[in-house]
Amino acid sequence: MLALKIKAVAGLALVAATLPAPASAASEPGWGGDGLRWTTTVVAPGVEVRSGVLERPTAPYWTVTVAAPATNVLTGAATVADLGTAEWAASTAERLAAAGYPARQEVVRWPSYADTPGGVEGVRVRTGRYGTQAEAAAVVSALRAAGFPTATAAWTGYDVDQAPDAERVHVAVIDPRAFRGTVEASHGETIAAREKTSALASKLGALVAVNGGFFITSDNDGYQGAPAGLAAYDGRLESLSAGSRAALVLGPGPAHIANLTSTVTVRAGSAAHAVEGINRKPGVLRNCGRPNAVPTTAPRQDFTCTSSDELVLFTDAFGAALPTGPGTQVVLDANGAVVSAGPRGGVLQPGQTAVQGIGAAASWLAAHAGSRLVVDSRVREASGSPTVTPRSVVSAAPLLLRDGRLAVDAATEGVVDPRDLSFGYAWSQQRQPRTMAGIDARGRLLLVTVDGRQPGVSEGLTLVEGARLMRALGAVEAMNLDGGGSSAMVVSGAVVNKPSDATGERAVGDVVAVLPRR
């Protein structure tokens, strides 16, 4: 159990160690963390940060991939996929050869996810081997002109079936037996805003901080910075779950990782109505995973569903003007008494909440606007048993480890779809920058970043490689947090990893912060 309180900061100490190889060898290409040399920095009693670089004598190279035609199973729209059928691959390779570009047909098998088919996933078609991205790009232009519009340059070091050659890893280890501070999730002062991990860490006075859960990145999908899944800060639920997805729960009691769902109900006397969102635009559901969502009620990573009938709750932490549009709004004071009822919009005052309704839910809300409204919130594990109201929660997807075993439920949590090879392949099955959280057998919290999208420097991890790394680090429970350009670790005020965005560190929605005792 994670009892997170802190003492004074100790002076920095540097030591070197070698991470042992995993207990069992990998059964497919990839990396389990073997071969790393660590430099360890002691940040405070019970808090240390290990930094390591994996370098292997593999030889990735630039090549050209020709993508296969595909159909988005949710929208029916025509799209493309990196993998196609064996028949398509043979035909495409023959066309490439006829155009003067000898092709390779590379069979790709499903990774060891817990909930997807085994065996062959699809076939990839490629041509050429080039020393630079510019050379590959020149061939792409020629192929597109020759009738291959889906040709793209690709770095083989990102492939799930290619052994990695370079990884830069940072691991923060927080030991509850020695640490006397707290580990908390924070969104800063405003939900509907984005800040860099380093900026939030500075405001919080954090010893260590990493980026946290998924969040809105585009105005078309809601309010930038708002969580795109379950989130709680300072003991208050500030965003609802997008289906049953992995979450890091911080207090009260020990830190733990579980697949969580959440429900909120508004009651007016004996009448009750479900709330389907908190601090988000009514009718717009990023990552889906809610009842009445269209076109799917299941989680769907980086996909925006819609709803024409729902209630959405806003808290005074929202920090922006309330959304306007058709429907009804009721503003409540801290005791649930109705302050105002009418059109949607305005700004909440401290201590106030608002409930907005659209569609039939708006009519229900208008009919009960004269009553005292009571809001009831519940967070549950996937097993259905209630959880204690958490102090902090950040959620993302998917789960990586359970009871020390690989448990990557990629399809269940909506980051891949076995029916649609155009969805989730690069996100989950190619190497990407990753941020992960885990709990080891001694109850220590592990916060991990792996840099990526830097060919020959640090390529990142696939989801399964992330699970294996966490297990090699000693984790028995682990999950994937937000990654890509969001991945960042701040130690003693400095960003210690190298975020992958060309513009540098990205502004994010929330962070997991290791805080000294106040």
Side-chain angles (χ1 to χ4, degrees):
M1 304 305 275
L2 206 58
L4 304 168
K5 313 269 176 201
I6 189 176
K7 230 171 168 184
V9 175
L12 300 184
L14 297 179
V15 299
T18 302
L19 180 70
S24 59
S27 60
E28 61 192 72
W31 174 49
D34 51 302
L36 270 172
R37 290 285 297 175
W38 295 115
T39 297
T40 300
T41 302
V42 178
V43 180
V47 180
E48 64 181 31
V49 175
R50 304 170 185 171
S51 299
V53 178
L54 170 72
E55 293 179 326
R56 282 182 170 176
T58 55
Y61 54 89
W62 287 97
T63 188
V64 175
T65 300
V66 178
T71 302
N72 185 305
V73 297
L74 292 185
T75 66
T79 183
V80 295
D82 281 0
L83 307 180
T85 64
E87 294 76 16
W88 166 85
S91 173
T92 302
E94 184 176 343
R95 290 175 53 223
L96 282 166
Y101 295 91
R104 307 184 301 278
Q105 299 177 57
E106 301 172 349
V107 175
V108 178
R109 303 180 68 84
W110 278 103
S112 33
Y113 298 144
D115 54 2
T116 57
V120 174
E121 182 177 6
V123 183
R124 187 169 51 213
V125 175
R126 283 178 167 165
T127 182
R129 182 179 183 128
Y130 310 102
T132 67
Q133 185 176 11
E135 291 177 83
V139 174
V140 167
S141 296
L143 282 174
R144 290 182 177 180
F148 297 90
T150 63
T152 57
W155 174 251
T156 61
Y158 296 150
D159 293 344
V160 65
D161 48 327
Q162 160 78 42
D165 72 324
E167 309 294 341
R168 296 184 181 273
V169 183
H170 297 278
V171 183
V173 182
I174 301 93
D175 186 345
R177 296 170 301 176
F179 185 50
R180 296 295 178 264
T182 59
V183 179
E184 300 178 12
S186 177
H187 202 292
E189 298 176 356
T190 301
I191 298 295
R194 297 170 61 177
E195 285 195 78
K196 294 180 179 180
T197 301
S198 58
L200 282 171
S202 176
K203 291 178 180 179
L204 295 166
L207 301 170
V208 177
V210 297
N211 63 293
F214 297 142
F215 62 96
I216 306 299
T217 61
S218 167
D219 293 341
N220 293 331
D221 302 317
Y223 290 88
Q224 289 197 35
L230 183 62
Y233 316 103
D234 296 324
R236 290 182 24 166
L237 196 60
E238 299 289 2
S239 181
L240 287 186
S241 57
S244 177
R245 304 187 96 181
L248 173 63
V249 183
L250 299 166
H256 67 281
I257 291 168
N259 288 94
L260 299 182
T261 60
S262 56
T263 58
V264 172
T265 305
V266 172
R267 304 185 186 279
S270 60
H273 198 290
V275 170
E276 296 302 349
I278 300 179
N279 293 322
R280 67 163 171 82
K281 189 176 295 184
V284 181
L285 297 85
R286 188 61 168 172
N287 293 344
C288 307
R290 300 298 306 178
N292 301 320
V294 175
T296 179
T297 59
R300 189 78 168 184
Q301 183 61 25
D302 293 340
F303 187 87
T304 299
C305 285
T306 60
S307 175
S308 59
D309 175 14
E310 64 176 4
L311 294 182
V312 174
L313 176 72
F314 292 87
T315 72
D316 59 356
F318 179 59
L322 297 173
T324 59
T328 300
Q329 173 178 292
V330 172
V331 176
L332 309 174
D333 67 14
N335 298 314
V338 175
V339 174
S340 65
R344 294 166 54 203
V347 177
L348 290 176
Q349 300 301 310
Q352 292 183 337
T353 58
V355 182
Q356 291 193 347
I358 60 173
S363 299
W364 183 93
L365 186 61
H368 296 89
S371 306
R372 180 177 179 272
L373 300 182
V374 177
V375 179
D376 178 48
S377 302
R378 301 289 176 91
V379 177
R380 294 180 179 272
E381 296 195 10
S383 62
S385 57
T387 66
V388 176
T389 302
R391 185 178 69 237
S392 297
V393 175
V394 293
S395 68
L399 193 73
L400 300 177
L401 297 176
R402 176 179 284 125
D403 298 327
R405 298 183 178 183
L406 264 66
V408 185
D409 54 350
T412 303
E413 295 199 49
V415 298
V416 299
D417 187 339
R419 305 167 301 163
D420 186 351
L421 296 183
S422 69
F423 172 71
Y425 178 78
W427 194 97
S428 59
Q429 290 171 241
Q430 289 186 319
R431 296 191 175 101
Q432 301 286 354
R434 304 281 178 192
T435 302
M436 298 168 289
I439 312 294
D440 73 7
R442 295 162 58 183
R444 298 182 300 180
L445 174 65
L446 311 178
L447 301 173
V448 180
T449 61
V450 181
D451 287 342
R453 299 177 186 166
Q454 302 166 48
V457 177
S458 190
E459 289 152 341
L461 299 180
T462 68
L463 288 178
V464 170
E465 286 174 343
R468 288 187 178 143
L469 171 62
M470 296 303 289
R471 185 171 62 179
L473 293 170
V476 293
E477 311 289 335
M479 65 171 290
N480 187 63
L481 292 169
D482 193 18
S486 297
S487 285
M489 179 180 287
V490 177
V491 180
S492 301
V495 179
V496 296
N497 74 314
K498 186 177 180 181
S500 65
D501 281 1
T503 54
E505 186 188 358
R506 176 184 294 178
V508 299
D510 59 13
V511 299
V512 179
V514 182
L515 305 176
R517 184 168 59 188
R518 304 305 182 190

